[in-house]
Amino acid sequence: MVMDLTKAKRFTLGTIRDGMVEDCGYCISCGSISEYSVEPDARNYHCTACGQDEVHGCSEILLMDLIEPEDE
Ligand SMILES: [Zn+2]
């Protein structure tokens, strides 16, 4: 099943930066950071938090434009 990106979680650039430093990706279904190392271009890895295969690497999340403005 393809995720409806309009329902995907959004991430701030600060969050993406943290993920890159940690070598982690994020689940676009629940928003959790991955519990294991994820390549920046990974797609649809398993999320241990919610069980969906929606963990994406940070570069992929940037490419999908799932960025939200930071609250100042
Ligand atoms: Zn998840």
Side-chain angles (χ1 to χ4, degrees), residues 26-32 46-55:
Y26 291 94
C27 174
I28 65 170
S29 180
C30 72
S32 293
H46 186 72
C47 175
T48 50
C50 72
Q52 303 285 321
D53 293 329
E54 295 292 355
V55 170

Side-chain angles (χ1 to χ4, degrees), residues 5 12-14 18 23 28 36 40 42 44 52 59-60 64 68 70:
L5 285 184
T12 65
L13 283 176
D18 291 346
D23 261 343
I28 65 170
Y36 50 86
N44 299 109
Q52 303 285 321
S59 296
E60 276 300 312
M64 290 188 291
E68 73 177 359
E70 314 233 9

Side-chain angles (χ1 to χ4, degrees), residues 14-65:
T15 301
I16 297 299
R17 200 179 304 126
D18 291 346
M20 285 178 162
V21 169
E22 303 281 332
D23 261 343
C24 287
Y26 291 94
C27 174
I28 65 170
S29 180
C30 72
S32 293
I33 192 166
S34 64
E35 288 185 345
Y36 50 86
S37 295
V38 168
E39 309 89 81
D41 62 348
R43 303 189 68 173
N44 299 109
Y45 280 23
H46 186 72
C47 175
T48 50
C50 72
Q52 303 285 321
D53 293 329
E54 295 292 355
V55 170
H56 289 62
C58 290
S59 296
E60 276 300 312
I61 290 171
L62 288 171
L63 285 174
M64 290 188 291
D65 202 23

